[in-house]
Amino acid sequence: MFSSTIACLSGRHSWQNDAVTEPEFLYGTAWKEDRTPDLVELALRMGFRGVDTANQRRHYFEDRVGQGLAAAYSAGVATRADLFLQTKFTYQRGQDHRLPYDPAAILSVQVAQSMASSLEHLGTDYVDSYVLHGPSSACDWTHADSEVWEAMRKERDAGRTRLLGVSNVSLQQLAQMAAVHSEGPAFVQNRCYARLGWDRDIRSFCGERNIIYQGFSLLTANAEVLRHPLIVDLAASAQVTPAQVVFSFSQAVGILPLTGTSDAEHMKQDLASRDLTLPPDAVQAIESLAG
Ligand SMILES: NC(=O)c1ccc[n+]([C@@H]2O[C@H](COP(=O)([O-])OP(=O)(O)OC[C@H]3O[C@@H](n4cnc5c(N)ncnc54)[C@H](OP(=O)(O)O)[C@@H]3O)[C@@H](O)[C@H]2O)c1
């Protein structure tokens, strides 16, 4: 079961000593279209050092993420070495007609082509994390997923990514993946619903294996939580916003949060949530607030 995960993770710990460190927050670049370059540059100016994107033109404009990065480099806001860049391989069924690979090619070639295109978009010769955007089937970890995962490992071995991850994945798929691959992901990235105990089962699977859980839609999937008296009262007494309480909670339970805010003030607030320390009983109460 993920026997070489430890080796992979000890690699991660060693590169933590390098200039690239695992960020405490990821800035998400989905759905920004032509605003992507300006928002990426703004996010870096505001202090984000982790950027999440995907080579999936349907929801992301990866090429424009690269433009935003280049603008930030030119302005002296950050260097490539300061950043944690994460992108994804997306199966054809998750794409529109704007594909970053030849759909007639075998999957391992599609992975290589998608990675080459990502590196070109992002103006770099490596990313920090390469994520399978989602397994090929809703239920199982399939042969196709295994082929893609092994191709992703080859990209990692060739130095084009430091780490690997998987997204939109169920506990069953992770268990199946563990049964057939000697190496597991360094990251799992999932939509994090409070009504599922903030993805409790998957977080527990990840926690047992030193896999870092990245949570997205922490605000948008949990609108009722943001209005809950517990959160509203905690926010009022700490003089922060309910969104900041949710982000602070997520970090307290080991979730690496994503935010895709387009608002400079929200960027500031989201990052400032790192400085808010919730009492342990509040963390416990939020964890079981809705499920
Ligand atoms: N792996 C996947 O399949 C997948 C799927 C979805 C998303 N993602 C990633 O996750 C990133 C984040 O996506 P998301 O689904 O979490 O949604 P999102 O795009 O981050 O949307 C967050 C919403 O919360 C608001 N918000 C953020 N900070 C706030 C604050 N401090 N106070 C009040 N409102 C605040 C934003 O509004 P304002 O803009 O007005 O602040 C926005 O409406 C994406 O960009 C993408 O990188 C990955």
Side-chain angles (χ1 to χ4, degrees), residues 107-284:
L107 287 168
S108 56
V109 171
Q110 291 184 20
V111 170
Q113 290 178 348
S114 191
M115 171 63 102
S117 158
S118 285
L119 296 179
E120 194 181 327
H121 288 161
L122 298 172
T124 185
D125 54 9
Y126 72 96
V127 289
D128 298 285
S129 168
Y130 199 50
V131 173
L132 172 57
H133 210 152
S136 63
S137 126
C139 315
D140 292 313
W141 183 260
T142 64
H143 290 301
D145 299 322
S146 289
E147 184 182 343
V148 165
W149 187 250
E150 292 306 321
M152 289 171 62
R153 286 181 64 184
K154 282 199 182 126
E155 294 300 312
R156 193 273 318 281
D157 292 346
R160 288 185 280 273
T161 181
R162 290 176 183 270
L163 297 163
L164 299 174
V166 59
S167 181
N168 298 302
V169 68
S170 68
L171 190 59
Q172 172 167 308
Q173 286 166 327
L174 282 171
Q176 291 170 337
M177 185 185 183
V180 293
H181 294 285
S182 61
E183 180 183 338
F187 299 106
V188 161
Q189 184 186 99
N190 269 7
R191 180 165 280 121
C192 194
Y193 290 103
R195 64 179 161 77
L196 299 178
W198 307 89
D199 220 2
R200 184 179 290 119
D201 292 349
I202 301 230
R203 287 193 296 115
S204 153
F205 180 98
C206 290
E208 287 161 12
R209 292 163 180 80
N210 284 337
I211 298 167
I212 293 172
Y213 179 95
Q214 302 178 1
F216 63 85
S217 302
L218 282 158
L219 304 184
T220 50
N222 303 305
E224 73 293 353
V225 166
L226 291 164
R227 291 191 298 266
H228 193 284
L230 171 68
I231 303 288
V232 172
D233 292 350
L234 279 167
S237 65
Q239 296 187 301
V240 297
T241 67
Q244 286 178 295
V245 171
V246 168
F247 283 131
S248 174
F249 156 76
S250 71
Q251 290 161 90
V253 295
I255 295 172
L256 170 55
L258 287 103
T259 178
T261 179
S262 299
D263 180 288
E265 192 54 34
H266 289 166
M267 287 182 186
K268 222 185 277 177
Q269 291 174 355
D270 293 355
L271 286 173
S273 68
R274 295 173 301 182
D275 303 327
L276 171 66
T277 305
L278 295 167
D281 58 335
V283 172
Q284 220 173 7

Side-chain angles (χ1 to χ4, degrees), residues 1-54:
M1 300 269 280
F2 288 171
S3 55
S4 63
T5 300
I6 301 301
C8 162
L9 289 166
S10 25
R12 180 170 61 79
H13 288 304
S14 65
W15 60 255
Q16 275 180 340
N17 297 325
D18 299 342
V20 175
T21 53
E22 178 195 305
E24 293 172 295
F25 227 120
L26 292 175
Y27 184 68
T29 60
W31 312 303
K32 296 180 169 52
E33 288 299 316
D34 290 339
R35 298 184 69 200
T36 304
D38 288 350
L39 287 169
V40 167
E41 185 183 351
L42 179 64
L44 297 184
R45 284 185 186 278
M46 300 306 276
F48 284 92
R49 289 295 177 265
V51 176
D52 175 81
T53 188

